[in-house]
Amino acid sequence: MELVRGLHNLRPRHRGCVATIGNFDGVHAGHQAILKRLRTHSERLGLPGCVVIFEPQPREYFSPKSAPPRLTRLRDKLVLLSRQGVERVLCLAFNRRLRELSAEEFVQQVLVDGMGVKHLEVGDDFRFGCDRSGDFAFLLESGKRHGFTVEAANTVADSGERVSSTRLRQVLAEGDFELAERLLGRPFSITGRVMHGQKLGRTLGAPTANVQLKRLHAPLQGVYRVSADVNGATHKAVANIGTRPSVEGDGRPHLEVHLLDFAGDLYGERMTVTFHEKIRDEQRFDSLDSLQQAIQADFATARALWGL
C-alpha cells in the first residue's frame, strides 16, 4: 500500500482512481463494507482504490479537549487499511488552509485536480468544506459536472443498530469486549512501543511496560485482563489505562502493562495489548501503600481470571 502525505506529494501517476473519504477510526465492520465496495469498483474500472483520511481528525483540530477518544492511531489505521486491500492512502493535514476550503474548492483541488477521481464512495451523511457546506447532493451535482460518479455507502447494522466508531466507543467504555470484537471483526487491541516511564511500579513490586498511546484521549479507562504480544510471544497480563490519579503526572492517558510470570527488558519493543475483561475502574488512592495493595489485588484477580 502506498501512503501519500499531502496534496503537494500527488504526482501525475496518481491521477485516475476510485476513492472514499473519512476518518476510518477503528476500521470497523461498517468501514470494511465501504472498503469492499471500493475494491469492487476499483476492479470494475481497472483503477487503484484510494482512501482519503485526515490528520489530525477534524474534531481533534476544532476542539482537542472534547474530541472523541481515538480507537486507532495513524500507524495502526494504515496497517488495518492495508489488510483490507487498500492500494493507496492520501493523508491530508487538517489545518487552517484545508479547513477554509469551500466545498467547491475541495472538489476541484482534491478530487479533480489532485486525484482525478472517477468514482467516489461516501456515506449519505458525509459533510465537507468550510462550515460543512458540502453534502452528498453537492457531490452528486459536482460529479455530473466533473465526470465522476458518486455512490452512497450502505449502512451496516448489528442487532438493529448502526455500526459506527461512536457506538464502538460506547461499547468499549461499557467493557463489552465480546460485542466490540463483533463490531470490529477482530479483538480490540492497542499497539505501541514500550518506553521508559517513571518506574514507580518497580518500587511497588509491580514492574510495568509503559506502552505509547499517541492519542489525545484513550477509549478505555481502568484495570483490565489483557494479553500482550511482544517479540513473537503472547503473555497473560494485566493492564491499567488512565491518567494515574494517585501519582503526580502530566494529565495524559497512559497504558501500563504487567506481564504475569515474566522477567526481562522490553524497552524499545513494540507491544500489542489485547483487552479481554474489565477488572475495575481507575481510582485515586490516598497513599502509595494503598495503591500497592490495590495493585497486588488486581494481579491476584487477573491471575484467577486467567486460571493461573
Side-chain angles (χ1 to χ4, degrees):
M1 186 182 77
E2 180 184 17
L3 172 63
V4 181
R5 297 294 295 257
L7 280 178
H8 62 285
N9 282 318
L10 286 173
R11 300 292 181 262
R13 65 181 177 83
H14 292 127
R15 288 182 52 79
C17 66
V18 174
T20 185
I21 308 173
N23 289 323
F24 286 86
D25 190 22
V27 194
H28 52 62
H31 295 142
Q32 291 164 29
I34 295 174
L35 297 174
K36 183 177 180 180
R37 292 165 67 94
L38 188 74
R39 292 195 303 272
T40 297
H41 288 290
S42 174
E43 292 168 3
R44 176 176 63 85
L45 296 174
L47 294 171
C50 181
V51 175
V52 182
I53 59 174
F54 306 96
E55 282 293 326
Q57 293 178 171
R59 289 180 65 182
E60 293 173 340
Y61 172 83
F62 287 111
S63 51
K65 290 184 178 180
S66 61
R70 280 260 186 151
L71 299 171
T72 43
R73 60 178 186 156
L74 177 60
R75 179 190 179 98
D76 299 329
K77 184 187 300 186
L78 294 174
V79 169
L80 292 169
L81 290 173
S82 177
R83 289 176 182 170
Q84 290 295 316
V86 174
E87 297 171 78
R88 182 182 301 150
V89 171
L90 172 61
C91 183
L92 299 178
F94 199 93
N95 50 27
R96 181 177 178 181
R97 180 179 178 184
L98 184 66
R99 179 252 180 276
E100 292 180 347
L101 287 182
S102 68
E104 180 58 50
E105 288 170 334
F106 184 90
V107 169
Q108 186 68 55
Q109 295 182 28
V110 179
L111 301 183
V112 179
D113 296 340
M115 302 171 65
V117 167
K118 299 303 179 185
H119 177 78
L120 185 65
E121 281 284 321
V122 294
D124 57 9
D125 59 349
F126 178 67
R127 303 300 294 260
F128 66 102
C130 185
D131 298 323
R132 294 166 55 85
S133 57
D135 57 13
F136 185 75
F138 182 87
L139 282 173
L140 284 174
E141 182 59 34
S142 298
K144 292 176 183 177
R145 287 187 284 112
H146 294 289
F148 61 85
T149 55
V150 184
E151 189 171 47
N154 294 330
T155 295
V156 173
D158 178 89
S159 300
E161 292 189 57
R162 180 172 177 264
V163 178
S164 67
S165 299
T166 299
R167 186 183 177 207
L168 192 48
R169 292 185 191 99
Q170 294 171 343
V171 168
L172 289 172
E174 294 165 359
D176 192 343
F177 294 106
E178 184 177 338
L179 178 54
E181 181 172 354
R182 200 164 76 220
L183 300 180
L184 284 167
R186 64 182 186 280
F188 178 74
S189 64
I190 292 176
T191 299
R193 197 171 295 281
V194 178
M195 305 299 291
H196 289 277
Q198 293 178 319
K199 298 182 175 63
L200 178 63
R202 289 185 180 182
T203 66
L204 299 177
T208 58
N210 183 34
V211 180
Q212 277 187 319
L213 282 174
K214 285 197 171 180
R215 61 197 81 197
L216 294 173
H217 311 290
L220 297 172
Q221 174 272 324
V223 179
Y224 298 86
R225 178 175 68 91
V226 304
S227 53
D229 290 278
V230 60
N231 287 330
T234 300
H235 303 268
K236 295 178 174 64
V238 57
N240 180 85
I241 184 167
T243 56
R244 302 184 296 191
S246 300
V247 298
E248 185 176 349
D250 52 17
R252 294 185 293 111
H254 294 265
L255 172 57
E256 298 170 301
V257 185
H258 174 75
L259 277 57
L260 302 170
D261 302 322
F262 173 84
D265 185 355
L266 297 173
Y267 292 120
E269 301 295 341
R270 189 168 298 280
M271 179 183 291
T272 296
V273 183
T274 301
F275 293 80
H276 302 293
E277 188 174 0
K278 187 168 186 177
I279 295 175
R280 65 169 174 85
D281 289 332
E282 185 178 49
Q283 61 190 95
R284 179 182 177 83
F285 296 96
D286 295 331
S287 67
L288 288 181
D289 284 341
S290 297
L291 174 61
Q292 184 177 29
Q293 292 174 17
I295 290 173
Q296 293 303 322
D298 293 336
F299 290 176
T301 300
R303 294 183 71 86
L305 292 171
W306 276 116
L308 297 176

